[in-house]
Every structure is written in C-alpha cells, then in structure tokens.
Amino acid sequence: MSHSALFDRHKDTLDQAIKASRTREYWTAYPEMPSPKVYGETASKDGEAAFKSYLNKAFDVDQPGAIGTVGAEKSPYGFDLGVTYPKVDVNALVSEVEALRGDWAKASIEARTGVCLEILHRINRRSFEMAFAVMHTTGQAFMMAFQAGGPHAQDRGLEAVAYAYEDMARTPAVARWEKPQGKRDPIVMEKHFTVVPRGIGLVIGCSTFPTWNSYPGLFASLVTGNAVIVKPHPGAILPLAITVEICRDVLKEEGFNPNLVTLAADSAEAPLAKDLALRPEVKLIDFTGSTTFGDWLEDNARQAQVYTEKAGVNCVIIDSTDNFRGLVSNLAFTLSLYSGQMCTTPQNIFIPEGGIETEDGHKSFDEVAAALATGVEKLNGDDERACAILGAIQSEATLERLESYGKGDNVVLASRAVPMAGFDHATIRTPLILKATDESSYSSELFGPISYVVPTKNTADSLSIVEDSVKNNGAISFGIYSTSEEVLNQAEEVACNSGVAVSFNLTGGVYVNQTAAFSDFHATGCNPAANAALSDTAYVSNRYRVVQSRKHV
C-alpha cells in the first residue's frame, strides 16, 4: 500500500478526530468496551495467548546497538514475566538513528500521518493483547487495562496526530507571492515552505500508565518527522515493546527504515534515561514520573524541548451538596479506582470544621469523614468486586508507604489486603483514609491509595489552601461540591489563577480522575505538576520548524 493510500484509507478517522478536537464533543475512534462484536469472537482468548507467548522468552528487536539483554518485570499479581529485551549501547543506538532519520524527515506530511494512523489502527486490533500486557506490568485490573491501556491510550495518540497534522498543514508547501509595483510589473516570487523536524525524540515511560502517558509524545514526535527512541520504565517494558514492534512493522512495510522507532529497555540498577537525555542528537523529550527527575530533565537537557508530567497534590473541596449519597459514592469510587495510582486521583479532601449542609440537613465534619470511609469500605467489601476496581499495587515503595502511614493514630479508615482468586500473591490493598493533623502531613504527594480529610475554618479557607497548594505543589485535578453558584464561581477563579482543571458536583458516572481525549485537556502546563497539556497546539507545534526558500519567477 502506498503512502498516499494509507492516508486515504484513514482520512475519515483523521477528519473526525480534527472535528472532535475543535468542537470538544464526545467522540472516540476506538471502542472502549471489549466486545466480541467489535474486536472479534476470539479476540480475548487470542490476546491472552499472545501475552503468554512472550513469557520467559527473549523479545527480539532487530535494532542497532544491542549488547546483551535486560528485563526483570514482575506482575503485581504475583509472578515474574521472565521476558528479556535487547540491552543497548546508547552511543551506537543514537548514532545510527541520527544517521538514518533523513528519509522520514523528507517524507510528506500525508505520508507520515498515514503511517501513524495505520500504526494506531493495528495497535487497536491488538487491544486484548495489550490489555494483558498492561495488567501484568502495572497492576491495573483487566477492564481498566483494556480501556486505559488500549482504546483510551490510542485515542490520546490519535489526538496528538490530529493536532500535529492540522498544525503542519496550516502552512502551504508552495505559495506564489505577487507584490504590486504600481505601473511597473509586479514582483513575483515562488516560495517553498518545508516542515523540518527537530531531530530525535525520546519518550520516557512510566510504570503505571505505560501506553496512555507515552502515546501522545510518541505519535506527536513521529508524525512531525522525528525519529523516536522509546525508553520504558523497567517495571513496564512489555506494553511499549509491543508498541515499538508494531511501529517498526508498519514503517518497514512502507519502505522506511524500521529503526526510526527503537526500544531502549533498561534496569533500575543500570538506568539509561540520563545518558539518552543528554545526547546532543536528542531534541525532544517526553517524560512522565517523579518531580525529582522531571526537574532534572528540565534543568539539564538544555538541547531538547522537554515535556514533563510530574507529581502533584490533587484536591477536593466539600462545601455543601444536594446529593450526599451521590457525592459519597462518586468519591468512594474515585479514591478506589486503580488503588489511587493515577496522577489525577485526589489526595486531600477539604471539609469545613463546622460541617456542611446537605439535602438531609447539617452534617458535621466527623459525619462527612465517616460517610466517606463507609462508602469506600462498602464499595470494596466484596473481594471480587474490589479486585476489579482496585487492581494491584505496582510499586514496592507504594506498599511500604501504605503500611507506614497506616500505623498512625489519625486513621479514619484502615487499609486491608484483598485476596484474589487465581493470584495468591497479588498485592491488592483497599484505600487508607487519614485525618490531617497539620499542613505538613498532607502538603506533599503520597502516591497510591492514601488520602486525607482536612478540616478547614470554612470554604473560603479551603479555596485559599487549594490555590496555594496548586501553585506550590502542582495538581492535575481539582473537584468541588457546592450548592452555591457564588462558591462555584470562586472555585473556577481559583482554578484559573492556579492553572488546574476543575470539576463541579460530580455525583454520577464521571469521576474527577478521568479525562476524555478530544474533549478534556489532561494537565494545563501552568502549574508545577506538568509543563504541557495533552493535547493542545503547544504540545505539537514546537516539535518541528518551518524553513522557507524563495526565488523570483
């Protein structure tokens, strides 16, 4: 299939994605439900078999710079994956990629866009395979692994492609320029405008959302003509290795060098991220992870345009409500989903010390805190249901933090271990809810299923604390419950002043820690939690520049 044929084949999807990004209405290219009618009657069985075929074997990638193998992934459900990957020599890999990227850079915008759309299409057809890979590296429960690791991640990748395509296509390739000269003949020139990519893009993946957080940067850099080196987190390599394999297959079929997309797997003992990030050929870096390393990248990788999503302290304010049961139910699920291992999960819940007004009358601070604890406890009371919501804890550090903080005398709801049939060693834990005793106890991010109920003087005090917290500590999500339009308006002003997205009175099937591609911007880029938004024009436009030539006609 020719490059233009690939573009033509997927143009309807691209057009719809562009339209959705403009209207911000609901649209998805990739169905989120694992239905046999959509993905095929045997898709689930085939996907599981494909995942199991990787176990205890070498994942071969025929790319330059291989100097052995690396890999020690362990499923949070209690078993070693046993998959090994090529260990790379950074100098050899980067030098080879730099030398070959020219053909991709010279390819037309339509050619590159068609290739990226075909890659996404093929990834989507392997969503079940990806779901099992995500589940057993991140600990996400299967349904979440399918949705967030599959179609939702694919939508975010497509969103980046749509933004980049529209941005690049805005400038014509050729223009005729005529300047009138009165009675004299006009000055006529022909001008050519060429999209010139930055160089090599480096995508540094995270352990909890390896595809969802990596696809925007991967596809934004690739479609704008850059080669891409994918450096997964050592604990979640397989989902991105499969992704790289699919990218390479499509590139090769279309006559491009497959080494335009390569895998740089490493280990915690011998990390590669710093060495890669400081290479002068690396001009773009996409990173999701700790504030410490994100700050290091921003401070030290000066030759590159660096896009980071780091830690933050997400907040919820409860002022009043006319649906207390819905509030409790919504927050209980919010705190439980994937055991709080999401960059958007609320940590601090601010409640006036004098209590709140509800449709059932006044409720004291302690009554609100107790209701939240009861809601979380009931939601996770059935072990099978709890496993499907909580998933498993990905990091040993998160387990240790949960145990340490659970020993205090300020526990409102204790965490418990949840058994899972068929996975005797799964690390599944219910949320821990604590009562804040002072600001220092809750001002830093405590990643995982740990949250605080925080007494404040009143809602004005809550708003002030949240604004300062977002400005100083960062946040990606902020939620508020109030029956007062004035309070909601104040909350929106706080959100704009501090640069964080805000959600009002969520009591139904939408949760503050969920965002939808094409409609919701993920992060804003204007508080310490992230310096970019997924996805907007700023996220794609600086991955290339336009160089012009001109001549008289």
mmCIF file of all heavy atoms in Angstrom, residues 109-110 168-178 188-195 546-551 553:
data_model
loop_
_atom_site.group_PDB
_atom_site.id
_atom_site.type_symbol
_atom_site.label_atom_id
_atom_site.label_comp_id
_atom_site.label_asym_id
_atom_site.label_seq_id
_atom_site.Cartn_x
_atom_site.Cartn_y
_atom_site.Cartn_z
ATOM 1 N N ILE A 109 3.892 15.230 4.654
ATOM 2 C CA ILE A 109 3.050 15.245 5.859
ATOM 3 C C ILE A 109 2.002 14.139 5.771
ATOM 4 O O ILE A 109 1.728 13.436 6.747
ATOM 5 C CB ILE A 109 2.372 16.620 6.015
ATOM 6 C CG1 ILE A 109 3.417 17.705 6.261
ATOM 7 C CG2 ILE A 109 1.345 16.591 7.146
ATOM 8 C CD1 ILE A 109 2.856 19.115 6.181
ATOM 9 N N GLU A 110 1.427 13.965 4.589
ATOM 10 C CA GLU A 110 0.393 12.936 4.412
ATOM 11 C C GLU A 110 0.978 11.539 4.577
ATOM 12 O O GLU A 110 0.325 10.661 5.158
ATOM 13 C CB GLU A 110 -0.240 13.077 3.029
ATOM 14 C CG GLU A 110 -1.126 14.299 2.868
ATOM 15 C CD GLU A 110 -0.337 15.587 2.726
ATOM 16 O OE1 GLU A 110 0.869 15.526 2.407
ATOM 17 O OE2 GLU A 110 -0.930 16.666 2.953
ATOM 18 N N MET A 168 0.654 21.336 11.015
ATOM 19 C CA MET A 168 1.610 21.321 9.894
ATOM 20 C C MET A 168 0.939 21.725 8.579
ATOM 21 O O MET A 168 1.537 22.432 7.759
ATOM 22 C CB MET A 168 2.231 19.932 9.752
ATOM 23 C CG MET A 168 3.191 19.558 10.855
ATOM 24 S SD MET A 168 4.023 17.968 10.552
ATOM 25 C CE MET A 168 2.645 16.816 10.712
ATOM 26 N N ALA A 169 -0.288 21.266 8.396
ATOM 27 C CA ALA A 169 -0.981 21.521 7.126
ATOM 28 C C ALA A 169 -1.452 22.963 6.994
ATOM 29 O O ALA A 169 -1.846 23.397 5.899
ATOM 30 C CB ALA A 169 -2.171 20.572 6.995
ATOM 31 N N ARG A 170 -1.392 23.710 8.084
ATOM 32 C CA ARG A 170 -1.849 25.098 8.033
ATOM 33 C C ARG A 170 -0.991 25.931 7.085
ATOM 34 O O ARG A 170 -1.475 26.877 6.450
ATOM 35 C CB ARG A 170 -1.809 25.698 9.450
ATOM 36 C CG ARG A 170 -2.319 27.134 9.533
ATOM 37 C CD ARG A 170 -2.348 27.641 10.958
ATOM 38 N NE ARG A 170 -3.346 26.935 11.737
ATOM 39 C CZ ARG A 170 -3.072 26.098 12.735
ATOM 40 N NH1 ARG A 170 -1.828 25.850 13.052
ATOM 41 N NH2 ARG A 170 -4.036 25.501 13.402
ATOM 42 N N THR A 171 0.285 25.597 6.980
ATOM 43 C CA THR A 171 1.188 26.320 6.089
ATOM 44 C C THR A 171 1.288 25.580 4.768
ATOM 45 O O THR A 171 1.637 24.396 4.740
ATOM 46 C CB THR A 171 2.590 26.429 6.721
ATOM 47 O OG1 THR A 171 2.490 27.083 7.989
ATOM 48 C CG2 THR A 171 3.530 27.217 5.821
ATOM 49 N N PRO A 172 1.007 26.235 3.645
ATOM 50 C CA PRO A 172 1.083 25.540 2.348
ATOM 51 C C PRO A 172 2.527 25.188 1.998
ATOM 52 O O PRO A 172 3.469 25.869 2.419
ATOM 53 C CB PRO A 172 0.507 26.563 1.367
ATOM 54 C CG PRO A 172 0.770 27.889 2.016
ATOM 55 C CD PRO A 172 0.636 27.652 3.491
ATOM 56 N N ALA A 173 2.697 24.142 1.224
ATOM 57 C CA ALA A 173 4.044 23.746 0.804
ATOM 58 C C ALA A 173 4.627 24.741 -0.192
ATOM 59 O O ALA A 173 5.837 25.003 -0.195
ATOM 60 C CB ALA A 173 4.009 22.344 0.193
ATOM 61 N N VAL A 174 3.765 25.313 -1.050
ATOM 62 C CA VAL A 174 4.220 26.246 -2.083
ATOM 63 C C VAL A 174 3.248 27.418 -2.146
ATOM 64 O O VAL A 174 2.028 27.230 -2.029
ATOM 65 C CB VAL A 174 4.296 25.567 -3.467
ATOM 66 C CG1 VAL A 174 4.796 26.553 -4.521
ATOM 67 C CG2 VAL A 174 5.185 24.334 -3.428
ATOM 68 N N ALA A 175 3.782 28.603 -2.323
ATOM 69 C CA ALA A 175 2.924 29.787 -2.474
ATOM 70 C C ALA A 175 3.499 30.704 -3.549
ATOM 71 O O ALA A 175 4.720 30.831 -3.708
ATOM 72 C CB ALA A 175 2.814 30.537 -1.148
ATOM 73 N N ARG A 176 2.616 31.326 -4.315
ATOM 74 C CA ARG A 176 3.023 32.340 -5.301
ATOM 75 C C ARG A 176 2.793 33.707 -4.677
ATOM 76 O O ARG A 176 1.678 34.028 -4.241
ATOM 77 C CB ARG A 176 2.196 32.194 -6.580
ATOM 78 C CG ARG A 176 2.566 33.199 -7.685
ATOM 79 C CD ARG A 176 1.664 32.994 -8.883
ATOM 80 N NE ARG A 176 1.875 33.993 -9.913
ATOM 81 C CZ ARG A 176 2.763 33.898 -10.894
ATOM 82 N NH1 ARG A 176 3.529 32.809 -10.983
ATOM 83 N NH2 ARG A 176 2.895 34.846 -11.811
ATOM 84 N N TRP A 177 3.847 34.505 -4.628
ATOM 85 C CA TRP A 177 3.812 35.801 -3.948
ATOM 86 C C TRP A 177 3.946 36.916 -4.972
ATOM 87 O O TRP A 177 4.936 36.970 -5.708
ATOM 88 C CB TRP A 177 4.962 35.838 -2.944
ATOM 89 C CG TRP A 177 5.013 37.028 -2.029
ATOM 90 C CD1 TRP A 177 4.328 37.212 -0.880
ATOM 91 C CD2 TRP A 177 5.857 38.185 -2.180
ATOM 92 N NE1 TRP A 177 4.671 38.396 -0.285
ATOM 93 C CE2 TRP A 177 5.619 39.028 -1.071
ATOM 94 C CE3 TRP A 177 6.792 38.585 -3.154
ATOM 95 C CZ2 TRP A 177 6.272 40.241 -0.893
ATOM 96 C CZ3 TRP A 177 7.441 39.811 -2.980
ATOM 97 C CH2 TRP A 177 7.183 40.621 -1.865
ATOM 98 N N GLU A 178 2.942 37.764 -5.049
ATOM 99 C CA GLU A 178 2.962 38.873 -6.003
ATOM 100 C C GLU A 178 2.774 40.194 -5.260
ATOM 101 O O GLU A 178 1.762 40.393 -4.574
ATOM 102 C CB GLU A 178 1.866 38.725 -7.050
ATOM 103 C CG GLU A 178 2.060 37.538 -7.983
ATOM 104 C CD GLU A 178 1.084 37.569 -9.152
ATOM 105 O OE1 GLU A 178 0.637 38.685 -9.501
ATOM 106 O OE2 GLU A 178 0.777 36.497 -9.682
ATOM 107 N N VAL A 188 7.189 39.072 -8.539
ATOM 108 C CA VAL A 188 6.600 37.736 -8.383
ATOM 109 C C VAL A 188 7.667 36.768 -7.875
ATOM 110 O O VAL A 188 8.764 36.682 -8.448
ATOM 111 C CB VAL A 188 6.031 37.220 -9.721
ATOM 112 C CG1 VAL A 188 5.393 35.850 -9.517
ATOM 113 C CG2 VAL A 188 5.014 38.206 -10.284
ATOM 114 N N MET A 189 7.320 36.064 -6.833
ATOM 115 C CA MET A 189 8.238 35.073 -6.270
ATOM 116 C C MET A 189 7.487 33.776 -5.983
ATOM 117 O O MET A 189 6.275 33.790 -5.709
ATOM 118 C CB MET A 189 8.884 35.576 -4.969
ATOM 119 C CG MET A 189 9.685 36.847 -5.102
ATOM 120 S SD MET A 189 10.702 37.173 -3.644
ATOM 121 C CE MET A 189 12.058 36.055 -3.954
ATOM 122 N N GLU A 190 8.231 32.712 -6.057
ATOM 123 C CA GLU A 190 7.699 31.417 -5.635
ATOM 124 C C GLU A 190 8.374 31.042 -4.318
ATOM 125 O O GLU A 190 9.599 31.060 -4.224
ATOM 126 C CB GLU A 190 7.978 30.347 -6.691
ATOM 127 C CG GLU A 190 7.404 28.975 -6.321
ATOM 128 C CD GLU A 190 7.655 27.939 -7.396
ATOM 129 O OE1 GLU A 190 6.937 27.980 -8.412
ATOM 130 O OE2 GLU A 190 8.579 27.122 -7.210
ATOM 131 N N LYS A 191 7.559 30.720 -3.328
ATOM 132 C CA LYS A 191 8.090 30.407 -2.005
ATOM 133 C C LYS A 191 7.724 28.972 -1.629
ATOM 134 O O LYS A 191 6.583 28.550 -1.812
ATOM 135 C CB LYS A 191 7.539 31.384 -0.962
ATOM 136 C CG LYS A 191 7.891 32.829 -1.255
ATOM 137 C CD LYS A 191 7.443 33.772 -0.154
ATOM 138 C CE LYS A 191 7.816 35.213 -0.479
ATOM 139 N NZ LYS A 191 7.490 36.143 0.631
ATOM 140 N N HIS A 192 8.709 28.258 -1.124
ATOM 141 C CA HIS A 192 8.507 26.887 -0.647
ATOM 142 C C HIS A 192 8.672 26.863 0.871
ATOM 143 O O HIS A 192 9.596 27.489 1.411
ATOM 144 C CB HIS A 192 9.517 25.939 -1.302
ATOM 145 C CG HIS A 192 9.281 25.719 -2.754
ATOM 146 N ND1 HIS A 192 8.959 24.501 -3.291
ATOM 147 C CD2 HIS A 192 9.302 26.585 -3.811
ATOM 148 C CE1 HIS A 192 8.794 24.605 -4.591
ATOM 149 N NE2 HIS A 192 9.001 25.876 -4.943
ATOM 150 N N PHE A 193 7.791 26.146 1.528
ATOM 151 C CA PHE A 193 7.826 26.040 2.993
ATOM 152 C C PHE A 193 7.959 24.569 3.375
ATOM 153 O O PHE A 193 7.092 23.759 3.033
ATOM 154 C CB PHE A 193 6.561 26.642 3.596
ATOM 155 C CG PHE A 193 6.349 28.082 3.214
ATOM 156 C CD1 PHE A 193 5.552 28.409 2.123
ATOM 157 C CD2 PHE A 193 6.960 29.101 3.919
ATOM 158 C CE1 PHE A 193 5.366 29.730 1.753
ATOM 159 C CE2 PHE A 193 6.780 30.422 3.557
ATOM 160 C CZ PHE A 193 5.974 30.744 2.475
ATOM 161 N N THR A 194 9.034 24.242 4.067
ATOM 162 C CA THR A 194 9.333 22.851 4.393
ATOM 163 C C THR A 194 9.278 22.627 5.895
ATOM 164 O O THR A 194 9.933 23.358 6.665
ATOM 165 C CB THR A 194 10.733 22.460 3.875
ATOM 166 O OG1 THR A 194 10.784 22.686 2.464
ATOM 167 C CG2 THR A 194 11.035 20.999 4.167
ATOM 168 N N VAL A 195 8.509 21.638 6.303
ATOM 169 C CA VAL A 195 8.467 21.229 7.702
ATOM 170 C C VAL A 195 9.762 20.494 8.024
ATOM 171 O O VAL A 195 10.086 19.482 7.395
ATOM 172 C CB VAL A 195 7.253 20.318 7.976
ATOM 173 C CG1 VAL A 195 7.363 19.665 9.361
ATOM 174 C CG2 VAL A 195 5.964 21.126 7.870
ATOM 175 N N VAL A 546 9.475 25.467 10.457
ATOM 176 C CA VAL A 546 9.253 25.634 9.022
ATOM 177 C C VAL A 546 10.402 26.448 8.435
ATOM 178 O O VAL A 546 10.703 27.548 8.911
ATOM 179 C CB VAL A 546 7.913 26.329 8.735
ATOM 180 C CG1 VAL A 546 7.760 26.584 7.238
ATOM 181 C CG2 VAL A 546 6.748 25.488 9.254
ATOM 182 N N VAL A 547 11.051 25.873 7.431
ATOM 183 C CA VAL A 547 12.142 26.558 6.737
ATOM 184 C C VAL A 547 11.669 26.896 5.319
ATOM 185 O O VAL A 547 11.097 26.041 4.640
ATOM 186 C CB VAL A 547 13.405 25.672 6.676
ATOM 187 C CG1 VAL A 547 14.504 26.369 5.868
ATOM 188 C CG2 VAL A 547 13.900 25.367 8.098
ATOM 189 N N GLN A 548 11.906 28.123 4.903
ATOM 190 C CA GLN A 548 11.413 28.543 3.601
ATOM 191 C C GLN A 548 12.551 28.789 2.618
ATOM 192 O O GLN A 548 13.698 29.071 2.998
ATOM 193 C CB GLN A 548 10.576 29.800 3.716
ATOM 194 C CG GLN A 548 11.372 31.082 3.929
ATOM 195 C CD GLN A 548 10.500 32.318 3.788
ATOM 196 O OE1 GLN A 548 9.400 32.368 4.304
ATOM 197 N NE2 GLN A 548 11.003 33.321 3.071
ATOM 198 N N SER A 549 12.223 28.636 1.360
ATOM 199 C CA SER A 549 13.101 29.069 0.270
ATOM 200 C C SER A 549 12.257 29.916 -0.666
ATOM 201 O O SER A 549 11.038 29.752 -0.743
ATOM 202 C CB SER A 549 13.691 27.866 -0.466
ATOM 203 O OG SER A 549 12.676 27.114 -1.101
ATOM 204 N N ARG A 550 12.919 30.827 -1.417
ATOM 205 C CA ARG A 550 12.163 31.684 -2.327
ATOM 206 C C ARG A 550 13.010 32.051 -3.530
ATOM 207 O O ARG A 550 14.240 32.108 -3.459
ATOM 208 C CB ARG A 550 11.680 32.943 -1.614
ATOM 209 C CG ARG A 550 12.788 33.791 -1.020
ATOM 210 C CD ARG A 550 12.240 34.951 -0.231
ATOM 211 N NE ARG A 550 13.314 35.769 0.327
ATOM 212 C CZ ARG A 550 13.133 36.904 0.990
ATOM 213 N NH1 ARG A 550 11.894 37.350 1.199
ATOM 214 N NH2 ARG A 550 14.154 37.578 1.456
ATOM 215 N N LYS A 551 12.336 32.267 -4.637
ATOM 216 C CA LYS A 551 13.039 32.633 -5.863
ATOM 217 C C LYS A 551 12.112 33.475 -6.733
ATOM 218 O O LYS A 551 10.879 33.375 -6.653
ATOM 219 C CB LYS A 551 13.496 31.392 -6.619
ATOM 220 C CG LYS A 551 12.353 30.482 -7.069
ATOM 221 C CD LYS A 551 12.875 29.218 -7.750
ATOM 222 C CE LYS A 551 11.721 28.308 -8.166
ATOM 223 N NZ LYS A 551 12.217 27.065 -8.795
ATOM 224 N N VAL A 553 10.187 34.562 -10.014
ATOM 225 C CA VAL A 553 9.536 33.839 -11.115
ATOM 226 C C VAL A 553 9.554 34.736 -12.339
ATOM 227 O O VAL A 553 9.142 35.907 -12.261
ATOM 228 C CB VAL A 553 8.092 33.458 -10.744
ATOM 229 C CG1 VAL A 553 7.419 32.786 -11.927
ATOM 230 C CG2 VAL A 553 8.089 32.562 -9.527
#
